[in-house]
Amino acid sequence: NNFRAQYDHFRTQTLVTAKTSYADAQAASRTFETDQSTLATEIATYADKFGSELAQLCGGSATAPSYENCGATTGQVYQARQEVIAASLRGQDAAMAVTNAYSAIDIELNRASQIANLHIDTVNLIQKDGTRLKALQDKERDIADAEAQVGGFLGAIAAVGSIMPNPGAAIAAIGGAAVSVVAGHARLEIEKERTDIATTERARVEFNAANEVLIDSAARVKTALLDIPKQKINVGLAEIDRDRALSQLRGLYEQAIDRAAARGRFATLKNADPRRDPSFRLFRDHRVADARRDFDTALAEAFVVTRSLEYELNYSYSGRSALFALTTPAALESYVSTLDAEATMFEASIGHAQPRANTISLRDQIYGYARSITDATTQREYVPADLFHRLLADPTNRDTKGNLRLVFSFSLAPESTLFSTDLCNDRITSLRASLVGATLGVAQPEILIQQKGSGFLRSCREKTGPDFVVRDYGLDESALGRRRAVIQAGVNLAGPNDTNGPPVNTELYGRPIAATYELVIDRTSPANRMLDLTKLDDIVLFVAHETRTVQ
């Protein structure tokens, strides 16, 4: 949400450069058409330009671009290869997480059977109207899909992971990869899984035999059931990103082939008089090429400024469709003026963002351990701190190094008690954290928080039926980008303004507050080496955010 800053940069710097080079190009003389010396200089300039462009694509320098082994360690091709691999790894992890979630449910069902002395236990989702849904009816299909998807991601990694001898060979390898036309299908699946998440959130979980000792198991099963569609959404998003990245990589390789061929043609003309060659014609001098380059840069930045406006206002700007039909800096200047007017109109009708603050207990509000429960068999009472200790000790919440790793969501669902349905465009401004417990052994521990999957923003004025539209924003490289916050936490802070605690953290500034989060306490961090997790009674987040009010 930094539209104004990007808009000012575009108007005062990028647009000025484009207008200046455009004016220079229009005033340029064409003496090179009759002056062989000027023409030779122009040819050499063009050869250098293609060398520079080839170096940007493949790595190396303008005089010695790395066409062979293009993109081995640097250049745009290298970055695109890494994007393909990253998207494939994300999808592979998400697909495997689906299988792992079903395994966790199987383990929990067996545990519940032993606790409750059940021979068979079937788990059902009970909706508000009493309708029963078999919670595991899609299990076999989901596992088979996950295995196939892992194979597809591995194929993409194999296709781009090794360095190809040249761009032509690389294009052939990409063509042999398992690239599916997946975008439309994946988006339909994503919408279906979002519906499943909403259904599961509203339903309660019951076993075929009602028993108080199964309350904890039901909560564990519901957590896993909610994780399955979220991970399937992540698989779909990763498939879209993988195919987009493969297409981009193929296009970059094709550009490299074109640049190398053009550079070769100009190199052969350096020692000849191309005016006698009927197959050659130099249409413009390098100042015109510079003007085109600066205009393309301005056009790309105008697109980013437009997307920034759309994110800040949380709706699609209809005028964006005309952007890439513009051909002059003056037309771009007129276009961005309409963006400024759009932002001003929105602020006049909706109002400016207002600061808010929420204190959120992971134990009480996220995991629902706010009250004590009594074991029906032993009559032992478990206080909230005991229940939270059991959560932290659960092996599924630890990684192989023993680090605590919790995944939770802040939801915009109407029944959620965290955030009002009257608020819109709700974004984080800062975070503070407090670890609660006696004799924790540390004074200033550290926690890592990262958003995963998608973030969600409620519209301020657009509705579908009685509800305001909720838009999603990808939290990966294709949209808002990944961001991990390392938060210096306090211990037993009295509140968000406790002066005894460390300063606020702003690394997640501007991102949607409604999202899935992963919280990690890294035991290898010097700040956490003496931390006793068995004494940790709660983790409290102080979330400062800015919102507007729906209209």
Side-chain angles (χ1 to χ4, degrees):
N1 52 339
N2 57 346
F3 164 71
R4 291 295 181 191
Q6 292 190 336
Y7 172 79
D8 290 343
H9 178 273
F10 178 83
R11 290 294 298 264
T12 60
Q13 298 185 44
T14 309
L15 184 61
V16 170
T17 301
K19 291 170 73 173
T20 301
S21 59
Y22 184 80
D24 289 344
Q26 286 194 317
S29 62
R30 304 304 177 92
T31 58
F32 60 85
E33 293 187 354
T34 56
D35 186 333
Q36 185 170 0
S37 174
T38 305
L39 179 58
T41 302
E42 190 66 27
I43 289 173
T45 302
Y46 263 104
D48 291 342
K49 282 181 177 294
F50 285 119
S52 298
E53 293 177 3
L54 194 56
Q56 290 176 0
L57 288 164
C58 295
S61 64
T63 56
S66 301
Y67 183 69
E68 303 298 332
N69 297 329
C70 180
T73 56
T74 59
Q76 296 174 8
V77 169
Y78 173 77
Q79 294 173 2
R81 287 177 53 239
Q82 299 311 304
E83 288 181 9
V84 173
I85 294 172
S88 298
L89 290 175
R90 287 199 307 274
Q92 184 180 341
D93 290 344
M96 294 175 65
V98 172
T99 303
N100 293 340
Y102 278 116
S103 298
I105 291 176
D106 288 340
I107 293 171
E108 193 57 40
L109 295 183
N110 289 330
R111 188 180 78 92
S113 298
Q114 295 174 11
I115 293 174
N117 296 319
L118 298 175
H119 180 61
I120 288 179
D121 52 350
T122 302
V123 63
N124 295 285
L125 292 174
I126 315 297
Q127 300 192 81
K128 290 184 178 180
D129 60 0
T131 305
R132 285 176 173 264
L133 300 173
K134 284 190 176 181
L136 306 180
Q137 60 185 353
D138 297 329
K139 175 181 175 182
E140 299 302 327
R141 187 200 69 183
D142 288 347
I143 292 177
D145 288 347
E147 291 174 349
Q149 288 159 339
V150 167
F153 288 122
L154 288 174
I157 293 174
V160 304
S162 58
I163 305 303
M164 298 299 166
N166 56 62
I171 289 177
I174 294 173
V179 182
S180 59
V181 184
V182 74
H185 171 73
R187 293 187 187 280
L188 291 175
E189 284 295 311
I190 288 170
E191 292 305 317
K192 173 186 174 297
E193 300 308 331
R194 287 193 180 125
T195 302
D196 288 349
I197 290 173
T199 300
T200 305
E201 280 187 338
R202 292 186 175 90
R204 71 180 189 274
V205 174
E206 282 189 2
F207 291 84
N208 61 337
N211 194 313
E212 288 185 12
V213 299
L214 298 180
I215 291 176
D216 179 61
S217 288
R220 291 168 182 256
V221 169
K222 184 170 184 179
T223 300
L225 287 172
L226 283 170
D227 190 53
I228 289 169
K230 289 176 183 175
Q231 295 298 344
K232 288 166 71 176
I233 287 174
N234 289 338
V235 172
L237 292 172
E239 286 180 327
I240 294 172
D241 290 344
R242 176 203 63 192
D243 288 0
R244 183 189 295 120
L246 279 171
S247 298
Q248 180 186 20
L249 180 59
R250 192 189 338 247
L252 290 173
Y253 277 129
E254 290 172 349
Q255 288 183 41
I257 293 173
D258 292 342
R259 298 302 189 277
R263 181 170 178 260
R265 287 196 301 271
F266 278 98
T268 60
L269 293 172
K270 285 185 178 180
N271 300 317
D273 185 356
R275 293 174 297 176
R276 297 191 177 95
D277 184 352
S279 65
F280 175 79
R281 168 70 170 150
L282 191 65
F283 285 102
R284 58 195 181 200
D285 70 0
H286 68 276
R287 283 170 289 189
V288 178
D290 290 344
R292 170 53 58 186
R293 177 202 63 202
D294 292 340
F295 178 80
D296 287 344
T297 299
L299 190 65
E301 186 169 331
F303 176 75
V304 174
V305 173
T306 305
R307 296 293 281 162
S308 181
L309 172 72
E310 291 181 317
Y311 178 65
E312 183 159 348
L313 307 189
N314 191 24
Y315 67 82
S316 298
Y317 176 60
S318 59
R320 174 158 57 92
S321 59
L323 173 59
F324 288 97
L326 304 180
T327 58
T328 66
L332 274 183
E333 184 173 27
S334 176
Y335 170 84
V336 295
S337 296
T338 64
L339 301 182
D340 182 42
E342 189 78 12
T344 302
M345 288 175 58
F346 180 84
E347 291 171 350
S349 60
I350 304 299
H352 293 279
Q354 302 297 316
R356 297 180 70 88
N358 284 74
T359 299
I360 300 173
S361 162
L362 294 192
R363 182 190 70 194
D364 296 347
Q365 294 166 279
I366 301 301
Y367 291 102
Y369 297 147
R371 294 185 295 274
S372 301
I373 64 172
T374 302
D375 188 301
T377 303
T378 64
Q379 298 302 308
R380 177 180 174 180
E381 182 181 38
Y382 291 92
V383 299
D386 293 333
L387 298 173
F388 194 67
H389 293 162
R390 289 183 60 186
L391 174 78
L392 301 186
D394 191 326
T396 60
N397 294 325
R398 299 294 182 97
D399 62 18
T400 56
K401 297 180 180 179
N403 297 328
L404 179 64
R405 191 175 297 270
L406 299 176
V407 178
F408 55 92
S409 297
F410 292 160
S411 175
L412 291 180
E415 63 271 16
S416 172
T417 59
L418 288 177
F419 306 109
S420 169
T421 55
D422 289 328
L423 301 180
C424 59
N425 290 5
D426 200 347
R427 301 180 177 92
I428 297 170
T429 54
S430 66
L431 292 174
R432 293 186 83 191
S434 174
L435 304 190
V436 179
T439 62
L440 290 176
V442 293
Q444 291 185 333
E446 284 182 352
I447 65 173
L448 284 71
I449 290 184
Q450 179 174 326
Q451 291 182 325
K452 308 184 73 175
S454 296
F456 301 92
L457 291 176
R458 181 180 287 110
S459 173
C460 292
R461 59 187 182 186
E462 296 177 86
K463 302 179 78 172
T464 299
D467 300 321
F468 283 86
V469 172
V470 175
R471 287 192 172 82
D472 63 289
Y473 294 87
L475 300 173
D476 54 18
E477 288 82 355
S478 65
L480 297 185
R482 290 180 176 270
R483 183 67 54 81
R484 185 180 66 157
V486 180
I487 300 177
Q488 190 177 25
V491 175
N492 299 320
L493 298 183
N497 300 316
D498 191 332
T499 56
N500 294 318
V504 299
N505 184 287
T506 59
E507 290 183 278
L508 298 182
Y509 176 85
R511 301 168 77 85
I513 195 170
T516 297
Y517 294 79
E518 182 180 65
L519 183 151
V520 177
I521 296 182
D522 185 356
R523 303 297 299 276
T524 63
S525 170
N528 298 331
R529 284 178 183 166
M530 302 302 294
L531 176 62
D532 187 352
L533 288 176
T534 64
K535 303 293 178 61
L536 183 58
D537 296 339
D538 194 6
I539 301 175
V540 177
L541 298 178
F542 303 110
V543 184
H545 49 119
E546 60 180 17
T547 70
R548 289 181 165 93
T549 303
V550 296
Q551 301 295 329

